[in-house]
Amino acid sequence: MGFVDFLATLGEYLPAVTKPKDRPSLATKLLWSFIAVIVYLVMASIPLYGVTSANSFLSNFLAEEIIFASTQGTLAQLGIGPIITSGLIMQILVGSKLIQMDLAKEEDQARFTEAEKGLAFVFILVESALFGYVFTRTAGNIELSAIVTVQLIVATYIILLLDEMIQKGWGLGSGISLFILAGVTKIMFWDMFGIAAVSNQNLPVGFFPVLISDIVSGKNILSLIVNTSTTTPFQPDLVGLISTIGLIILIIYLTNINIQIPVTTQRLRGIKTTIPLNFLYVSSIPVIFVSVLGADFQLFASLASYISSPASTVLTDIANAFFFPPANVPHSVFALVVDPIGAAIYAVVFIVLSIIFGILWIDVAGLDPATQAQQMVEAGMEIPGMRNSPKVIEGILARYIYPLGFYSSLIVGVIAVLATFLGVYGTGVGILLAVTIAIQYYNLLAYERTLEMYPLLKRIIGE
């Protein structure tokens, strides 16, 4: 039995959610999606029993909290991290042909899903044990470490089941997207309207409560334009608010730009159509990889401090290049004045790695010209005036795909860096994820609503 077969077998024996027998109505899907979000938010608000050092260990993990929809020191400490990590690893293994699976076949697709679930459970066990040890290391109590580990295993597996419930048709879209959107929205809402600071999550008092308080008490509100305080480095300011609105509009605009490639089909001769390639071809994948890589360096640096001080120092120096601004420096445009060299290093590292990861993702995720050309030929599509050969179509697509991959990776990297420099609410990576997910849900809601209004379409498309 191979490793993938072992994971698939493990996934089959784990508790699972069954698919609905009949297609649920839109109202039912919205209800179950709402319930899943409420359960996730409740878990993200319940502290882990026995944990007192979460803040000291994970003080700079805001980027990972955004990507993994996690919350420090709570039952949602791991969030969707194990699910995303297992999914990315399995996709890379399949895309790079390291494991032979044809996801077009129903049998291989089911095996892939079960293996992905099994791998996610392995990550849940490992990460829960790791965090259970780290959170209770000062107490030196094995029983307390076991209690924290069990809490994390149960809570994270519940999150996995919520994601599985939504993906199997009970809800809309995927639980991963829904939880990320909920997490980013919560942080943005708190940055604007939070009435109290939550120190262990780096959540300050919101901009508008501070503004109202300063006006009522007669204080100078000019200090709210740009945060220059080292005592409240995470305090939102006016520049960050305006930048947040501007970047959301920019991302929506870029997301709706498509490059149209003219094609015809063999079944409908004479009828021409187009295949759209999104201008942000690799979406926000590059900045996700860069952020996760930096967060992993931080994690390893923290763990290495208990094993080897020199190794911890090296890892910390590397991790610092992935994050800006440094500790106790205002998270605003003022940080550029305080640490311009650190800002330049951060920008170069983040943008260059975004481009590298974006190009690599095209090849390993099946977005490369060769794979796309083969899919077009198998679907009976052809480019007018060109021979219906995969090699010919691949040459045409290569003119579009690789430049799109490069420029889209560059653009999302620059947006994330600028967002960090301007102190946007919810971080640049968070805004990129939230806006793209919100657009996907808007299109999904429109699709579901159309099917309910015109039931005949269900038969036509096989729903």
Side-chain angles (χ1 to χ4, degrees), residues 362-380:
I362 289 176
D363 290 325
V364 302
L367 300 174
D368 57 291
T371 303
Q372 297 299 309
Q374 186 62 40
Q375 290 176 356
M376 286 180 62
V377 171
E378 291 175 356

Side-chain angles (χ1 to χ4, degrees), residues 36 40 45 56 80 128 136 217 309 311 346 355 364 369 402 410 421 452:
Y40 159 75
S45 302
S56 61
I80 57 175
S128 297
T136 59
S217 60
S309 181
Y346 165 74
I355 295 173
V364 302
Y402 285 121
L410 173 64
F421 289 164
E452 287 208 341

Side-chain angles (χ1 to χ4, degrees), residues 21-228:
K21 295 180 180 179
D22 299 316
R23 181 185 176 88
S25 64
L26 178 58
T28 302
K29 288 187 175 184
L30 288 174
L31 175 62
W32 281 111
S33 299
F34 178 75
I35 291 174
V37 171
I38 293 299
V39 172
Y40 159 75
L41 291 176
V42 169
M43 293 174 63
S45 302
I46 299 177
L48 283 166
Y49 173 78
V51 172
T52 58
S53 59
N55 186 39
S56 61
F57 178 62
L58 298 173
S59 58
N60 296 315
F61 270 46
L62 183 59
E64 191 168 2
E65 288 185 20
I66 292 289
I67 297 167
F68 292 157
S70 60
T71 305
Q72 294 187 52
T74 69
L75 293 176
Q77 174 67 59
L78 301 184
I80 57 175
I83 306 173
I84 288 183
T85 305
S86 64
L88 288 176
I89 290 175
M90 289 299 297
Q91 287 186 18
I92 290 172
L93 290 176
V94 173
S96 58
K97 309 299 182 183
L98 291 177
I99 57 176
Q100 298 299 321
M101 280 189 179
D102 184 1
L103 298 184
K105 297 180 179 178
E106 188 174 343
E107 181 181 349
D108 280 358
Q109 189 175 25
R111 182 163 158 260
F112 175 87
T113 302
E114 295 297 345
E116 186 178 24
K117 183 178 179 179
L119 184 58
F121 185 68
V122 171
F123 276 117
I124 290 174
L125 296 178
V126 173
E127 292 183 27
S128 297
L130 175 64
F131 278 90
Y133 163 73
V134 170
F135 283 154
T136 59
R137 67 190 184 280
T138 55
N141 189 329
I142 297 179
E143 292 181 359
L144 185 60
S145 177
I147 291 173
V148 173
T149 300
V150 171
Q151 289 178 83
L152 289 173
I153 291 174
V154 174
T156 309
Y157 195 77
I158 289 174
I159 293 176
L160 185 149
L161 289 178
L162 291 174
D163 172 61
E164 188 176 47
M165 176 189 73
I166 294 175
Q167 288 206 47
K168 286 191 173 181
W170 290 102
L172 283 173
S174 73
I176 291 176
S177 298
L178 203 58
F179 299 150
I180 290 176
L181 181 60
V184 176
T185 304
K186 181 187 73 173
I187 293 175
M188 294 178 66
F189 179 84
W190 200 271
D191 282 343
M192 287 189 282
F193 304 108
I195 59 176
V198 184
S199 58
N200 71 321
Q201 297 179 32
N202 291 333
L203 294 177
V205 178
F207 174 78
F208 290 108
V210 172
L211 175 63
I212 294 172
S213 175
D214 287 355
I215 292 175
V216 171
S217 60
K219 293 182 180 179
N220 185 4
I221 62 174
L222 293 179
S223 61
L224 293 178
I225 296 177
V226 176
N227 179 22
T228 60

Side-chain angles (χ1 to χ4, degrees), residues 299-327:
L299 176 62
F300 295 143
S302 298
L303 295 175
S305 63
Y306 302 97
I307 303 173
S308 171
S309 181
S312 176
T313 302
V314 172
L315 290 172
T316 300
D317 290 339
I318 296 174
N320 289 339
F322 286 81
F323 297 98
F324 184 84

